[in-house]
Amino acid sequence: MLIVMSPTATESEVDAVIARLVEKGFDVHRSTGAERTVLGAVGHIQNSDPRFFEDLPGVSEVVRISEPYKLAGRTFQPRDSVISVRGVPVGGDEVVVMAGPCTIETRDQMFESAKAVAKAGARILRGGAFKPRTSPYSYQGMGIDGWKLLREAGDAFGLATVSEVMDASQIEDALPYVDLLQVGARNMQNFTFLKELGKIRRPVLLKRGLSATIEEWLLSAEYVMAGGNRDVILCERGIRTFERYTRNTLDISAIPVVEKLSHLPVVADPSHGTGHREQVAPMALAAAAAGADGLLIEVHPDPDHALCDGPQSLLPAQFERLMDALRIVAPAVGKRI
Ligand code: PEP
Ligand code: MN
């Protein structure tokens, strides 16, 4: 942390800031130029809330130098993390496609979906069994019986599985069926839940919150990692903006930003990111071109009758065409499908 004193700061104001830093456990390095004094402070992150210092007399600016997410950040782990989801490596040179319906409805629907997405080249089957619906009157999901169908359909077509876990009480039940535990956007800052996910050894797909900054998102990843579970995959799923032609605004720029700040894999969800079927493929291609390590895409054999998110779900034939296009785009950025 750097504390820049104002040009008019008095010597006793500088001394008072140094005293406060020392009291908070910092080593202080003073440099006095012709214009102003700058104090370099090295110490424990717990005491580095800039507000402790910003309002002291004579302080002009407090600049944080190191990022607060030590485990998720690149500083101490420069190399990319490659996370194995039941043997499927996420974060390497493959753009890993996770696809399937928003919600698990019937056995036929899951088997048809799994067959279609596996044939087109997806590696992980998605499907929600516990759904975080905005209205309590909307379909809430099949529960554990849904996870059983997800596992069966995944096994039948050689796909790993991803599904949302809504709270800590569901983690244990999910483990036999779900290879990648999804934390929904609405739960990104449920810190007690994140701590529980830190205690297990199963990869976590951490969706970005509806209005979360990238730093908040990485700090949520840090919660899981600080508990000992280092297998976190980030998922950009669109943020809420003033725009109404899309359900959310898929923040493609978050992909290169996260790539620079963190060694964790980052995938994009253009289905929730746009909310409209015709916008999904262009944004999926854009995310791949921006360097995404994977994609989470809703596909339904009969989207017009889907219980959840039909309008943003691709038909199997559309998904197949998207996969063909991804096979052209991915190599342009050194990746493959
Ligand atoms: C989902 O993937 O079905 C879902 C509900 O996502 P999100 O948490 O991003 O809204
Ligand atoms: Mn959905």
Side-chain angles (χ1 to χ4, degrees):
M1 189 168 56
L2 283 181
I3 302 202
V4 183
M5 301 301 295
S6 87
T8 56
T10 64
E11 196 52 34
S12 68
E13 285 171 343
V14 174
D15 287 345
V17 175
I18 293 174
R20 173 66 66 87
L21 285 165
V22 170
E23 179 202 323
K24 292 271 175 207
F26 285 96
D27 284 337
V28 185
H29 305 267
R30 176 179 176 156
S31 99
T32 307
E35 271 282 304
R36 50 173 98 218
T37 294
V38 174
L39 304 172
V42 183
H44 199 276
I45 195 146
Q46 224 164 347
N47 293 329
S48 65
D49 184 336
R51 291 171 303 173
F52 281 132
F53 312 102
E54 267 164 5
D55 298 335
L56 294 178
V59 171
S60 155
E61 202 184 343
V62 178
V63 186
R64 212 179 56 202
I65 304 290
S66 57
E67 70 277 5
Y69 36 83
K70 300 294 174 204
L71 299 171
R74 272 211 194 265
T75 308
F76 298 107
Q77 190 187 320
R79 274 192 303 124
D80 285 342
S81 278
V82 179
I83 293 168
S84 170
V85 178
R86 209 189 212 206
V88 177
V90 183
D93 63 356
E94 181 179 347
V95 180
V96 173
V97 178
M98 314 172 188
C102 177
T103 189
I104 300 159
E105 299 166 9
T106 64
R107 187 185 175 79
D108 282 354
Q109 173 237 20
M110 279 319 290
F111 273 73
E112 266 187 66
S113 302
K115 186 178 178 185
V117 302
K119 179 170 160 256
R123 305 271 269 144
I124 301 176
L125 180 64
R126 70 151 286 152
F130 294 91
K131 297 302 300 176
R133 305 306 298 276
T134 300
S135 163
Y137 307 117
S138 300
Y139 182 63
Q140 302 287 307
M142 273 184 89
I144 294 179
D145 287 342
W147 277 340
K148 290 180 182 163
L149 293 178
L150 178 73
R151 170 99 284 160
E152 265 187 66
D155 284 353
F157 294 95
L159 300 164
T161 59
V162 56
S163 192
E164 176 160 356
V165 178
M166 296 226 305
D167 64 53
S169 72
Q170 296 172 351
I171 297 174
E172 202 62 37
D173 287 340
L175 294 178
Y177 312 110
V178 184
D179 302 316
L180 175 58
L181 302 175
Q182 178 174 323
V183 175
R186 292 153 190 83
N187 253 331
M188 190 204 84
Q189 287 192 314
N190 183 339
F191 300 120
T192 48
F193 180 32
L194 298 176
K195 283 183 189 173
E196 290 302 313
L197 289 163
K199 293 179 187 162
I200 57 165
R201 295 294 168 270
R202 184 62 57 95
V204 170
L205 182 73
L206 180 65
K207 287 208 162 189
R208 182 178 179 183
L210 273 69
S211 60
T213 65
I214 292 172
E215 184 168 298
E216 287 164 341
W217 188 20
L218 291 172
L219 281 167
S220 289
E222 190 80 7
Y223 261 93
V224 178
M225 299 176 84
N229 184 358
R230 303 298 167 95
D231 289 348
V232 179
I233 299 169
L234 299 161
C235 179
E236 163 60 43
R237 49 78 72 202
I239 49 174
R240 183 161 284 185
T241 69
F242 47 81
E243 184 49 62
R244 294 276 71 92
Y245 281 112
T246 48
R247 179 179 179 184
N248 292 292
T249 296
L250 187 68
D251 183 8
I252 301 258
S253 64
I255 297 165
V257 172
V258 166
E259 174 77 24
K260 184 172 177 191
L261 297 175
S262 173
H263 54 88
L264 296 174
V266 57
V267 311
D269 172 352
S271 306
H272 294 88
T274 64
H276 299 274
R277 194 176 302 148
E278 78 270 13
Q279 295 160 0
V280 171
M283 294 308 277
L285 295 169
D293 296 297
L295 294 163
L296 181 68
I297 297 176
E298 288 184 340
V299 179
H300 195 290
D302 181 13
D304 288 345
H305 296 99
L307 290 179
C308 183
D309 283 346
Q312 68 189 33
S313 301
L314 296 185
L315 286 151
Q318 292 175 315
F319 179 66
E320 216 171 301
R321 282 199 292 280
L322 168 59
M323 292 297 283
D324 287 342
L326 282 167
R327 285 189 188 93
I328 297 167
V329 170
V333 291
K335 301 227 183 195
R336 65 190 171 83
I337 296 292

